């Protein structure tokens, strides 16, 4: 087959302990999935999970042990960090039961759902799509994927983010409103999951702005960490 111009390369993420890369299909994100973060965004009570997407090529892939770089994006004065556990799907499916969800998981990574909060808030106010606030270029930094068998008890892992060495976000994955298995069940009822899908599972409280020159260090206990500098 020939193309009228060269196709974009497949976006992929390194896998800890393996020479092969994880090829990325789609990036799904869960909104307001920790109670304390929902509160800080002005919401209370359990609501059904809701989802948005980022393009696969919005990933900023950070190699094991490296510090990545994210350019400060255009059009915003309020770039927020959201530290998140990322689930990497290895086996697709639709209408996956929560009890079977683990069989579909290849591994986990630490990710940042970077958000142009001012633009997102403006879109919310107008009842318009969030794309410009959430799905911009370089909006999804991610560290290496830890295969599920080496990841420890991710569902009860501490999750945290430091900015310039100061703790900004700290919680535990156990505080997810919709846990990983329930999220996969809900998501796969709405879309057929495919191998290569990534799911950003939501952020705990403590979201705040970063500026050029800030160094972000995200951790989920048991996974490879994520370090990124805002350019
Ligand atoms: Mn988020």
């Amino acid at each position: 087959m020939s193309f009228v111009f060269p196709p974009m390369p497949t976006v992929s993420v390194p896998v800890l302990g393996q020479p092969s890369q994880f090829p990325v299909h789609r990036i799904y994100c869960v909104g307001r999935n920790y109670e304390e973060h929902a509160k800080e965004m002005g919401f209370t009570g359990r609501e059904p999970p809701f989802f948005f997407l980022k393009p696969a090529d919005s990933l900023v892939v950070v190699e094991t042990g490296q510090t990545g770089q994210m350019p400060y994006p255009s059009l915003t004065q309020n770039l927020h960090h959201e530290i998140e556990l990322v689930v990497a799907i290895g086996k697709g499916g639709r209408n996956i039961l929560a009890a079977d969800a683990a069989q579909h998981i290849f591994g986990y990574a630490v990710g940042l759902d970077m958000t142009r909060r001012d633009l997102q808030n403006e879109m919310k106010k107008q009842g318009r799509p969030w794309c410009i606030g959430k799905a911009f270029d370089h909006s999804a930094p991610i560290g290496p994927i830890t295969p599920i068998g080496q990841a420890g008890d991710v569902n009860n892992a501490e999750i945290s983010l430091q900015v310039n060495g100061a703790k900004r976000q700290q919680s535990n994955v156990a505080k997810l409103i919709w846990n990983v298995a329930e999220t996969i069940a809900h998501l796969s009822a709405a879309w057929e999951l495919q191998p290569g899908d990534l799911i950003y599972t939501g952020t705990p409280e403590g979201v705040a702005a970063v500026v050029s020159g800030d160094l972000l260090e995200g951790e989920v206990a048991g996974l490879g960490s994520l370090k990124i500098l805002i350019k």
Side-chain angles (χ1 to χ4, degrees):
M1 187 191 295
S2 69
F3 298 99
V4 294
F5 50 80
M8 296 292 280
T10 299
V11 176
S12 65
V13 181
V15 178
L16 280 181
Q18 290 187 22
S20 299
Q21 299 274 121
F22 178 93
V24 177
H25 177 238
R26 290 182 185 161
I27 306 172
Y28 295 99
C29 304
V30 188
R32 295 197 291 265
N33 204 15
Y34 287 82
E35 189 179 354
E36 292 304 317
H37 173 62
K39 280 184 192 162
E40 75 183 353
M41 301 306 286
F43 294 84
T44 54
R46 200 183 204 213
E47 56 182 351
F50 68 91
F51 306 103
F52 57 91
L53 289 96
K54 295 186 186 237
D57 67 356
S58 67
L59 287 176
V60 179
V61 176
V62 181
E63 303 287 328
T64 308
Q66 303 288 303
T67 299
Q69 296 195 347
M70 176 189 172
Y72 194 92
S74 62
L75 301 180
T76 186
Q77 318 292 326
N78 197 16
L79 175 66
H80 271 202
H81 54 72
E82 295 192 357
I83 187 70
E84 307 203 1
L85 168 69
V86 181
V87 179
I89 296 294
K91 183 182 148 203
R94 52 162 64 111
N95 296 319
I96 297 165
L97 298 175
D100 298 332
Q103 300 165 28
H104 295 263
I105 299 172
F106 174 83
Y108 299 97
V110 179
L112 280 160
D113 166 16
M114 299 302 290
T115 302
R116 295 194 283 206
R117 192 72 73 198
D118 41 1
L119 300 185
Q120 184 203 23
N121 286 344
E122 187 58 30
M123 292 300 110
K124 275 187 192 174
K125 211 186 322 173
Q126 298 185 31
R128 290 179 176 171
W130 289 7
C131 308
I132 200 168
K134 286 289 196 181
F136 55 93
D137 294 344
H138 316 292
S139 62
I142 190 168
I145 292 171
T146 302
I148 188 168
Q150 296 156 43
D153 186 9
V154 166
N155 290 298
N156 292 289
E158 290 288 314
I159 180 169
S160 65
L161 179 76
Q162 296 194 10
V163 178
N164 304 325
K167 196 80 85 178
R168 287 268 190 99
Q169 293 187 266
Q170 182 161 34
S171 189
N172 192 293
V173 175
K175 294 185 177 173
L176 279 172
I177 295 172
W178 299 96
N179 67 26
V180 168
E182 292 167 333
T183 295
I184 288 171
H186 276 97
L187 198 53
S188 67
W191 289 272
E192 179 175 357
L193 291 182
Q194 301 289 347
D197 286 338
L198 296 174
I199 307 168
Y200 280 61
T201 55
T203 196
E205 67 274 20
V207 300
V210 289
V211 296
S212 293
D214 283 349
L215 178 67
L216 284 62
E217 297 179 77
E219 283 191 10
V220 175
L223 306 183
S225 64
L226 169 63
K227 259 197 221 182
I228 195 144
L229 180 70
I230 308 296
K231 286 279 281 178

